[in-house]
Amino acid sequence: MKIETSQLLQQLTAQVKSHMQYAELLEKQSQESLNARLTPDSWSVLECIEHLNRYGKFYLPEIEKRINASHSGPEPQFKSGLLGNHFAESMLPKAKLNRMKTFKNMNPIHSKLDRNVLLTFINQQNKLLTLLADAEKVSLNKTKTSISISNLIKLKLGDTFRFLIYHNERHIQQAQRVLQTTGL
């Protein structure tokens, strides 16, 4: 995938703002509806958001550290890496949902959760907006980040943003389905 850097950052920023708006709407829902689940083994709305918070807890400091340490200036185009593009694209929601196994430490099922999950998510999205703005000053191609499953694998900063934000989109849509289906 090849795209103008400014266009990519604008698209990702718009997505993050949309995710924040959805979380703000969720704050108006009852505790009962936020904790309802479709089946005993499926996630509630709050569990979907908590899952995202757990990923944000790793990726936001990692991205910030790499942006601050970067000595490479911005480039007009971003060209996705092979592995980074695969990871990012695999996160995009599809018509027929491709289920994925979640790592145990990232799985919030049956956690006792309250509205603070939403506040944490909104704060993380604000931080993500700041990082996207900061990324305008560095190379999305040459700046590399570690990933949550291995410090040995590094992705281009642009791919890391795509992965994280597409992953958020995937679970925001999951939360929307839960809320619509439970109808509480």
Side-chain angles (χ1 to χ4, degrees), residues 155-184:
L155 298 183
K156 294 179 178 187
L157 179 60
D159 284 329
T160 302
F161 276 128
R162 291 174 62 228
F163 167 82
L164 182 62
I165 295 165
Y166 295 174
H167 181 248
N168 286 355
E169 179 66 24
R170 176 187 191 86
H171 291 289
I172 291 286
Q173 287 187 20
Q174 180 184 9
Q176 289 170 332
R177 282 191 306 277
V178 171
L179 206 53
Q180 288 169 349
T181 308
T182 57
L184 295 174

Side-chain angles (χ1 to χ4, degrees), residues 85-143:
N85 193 53
H86 171 73
F87 283 155
E89 295 289 325
S90 71
M91 285 300 116
L92 282 172
K94 295 168 184 56
K96 184 181 180 329
L97 192 63
N98 50 332
R99 293 183 57 97
M100 296 183 163
K101 188 89 171 126
T102 301
F103 291 100
K104 189 174 181 174
N105 65 327
M106 297 297 187
N107 190 342
I109 193 142
H110 303 302
S111 299
K112 187 128 177 79
L113 302 172
D114 59 28
R115 293 180 183 289
N116 287 326
V117 168
L118 299 173
L119 295 174
T120 300
F121 181 75
I122 291 167
N123 288 336
Q124 284 187 356
Q125 297 316 289
N126 274 317
K127 180 66 175 177
L128 189 48
L129 288 173
T130 300
L131 293 172
L132 285 164
D134 291 347
E136 293 174 6
K137 301 174 190 94
V138 300
S139 169
L140 299 186
N141 294 302
K142 293 177 185 161
T143 306

Side-chain angles (χ1 to χ4, degrees), residues 20-31:
M20 280 179 65
Q21 287 173 340
Y22 183 68
E24 289 165 355
L25 287 175
L26 288 177
E27 289 182 304
K28 296 174 174 70
Q29 295 292 322
S30 71
Q31 192 74 22

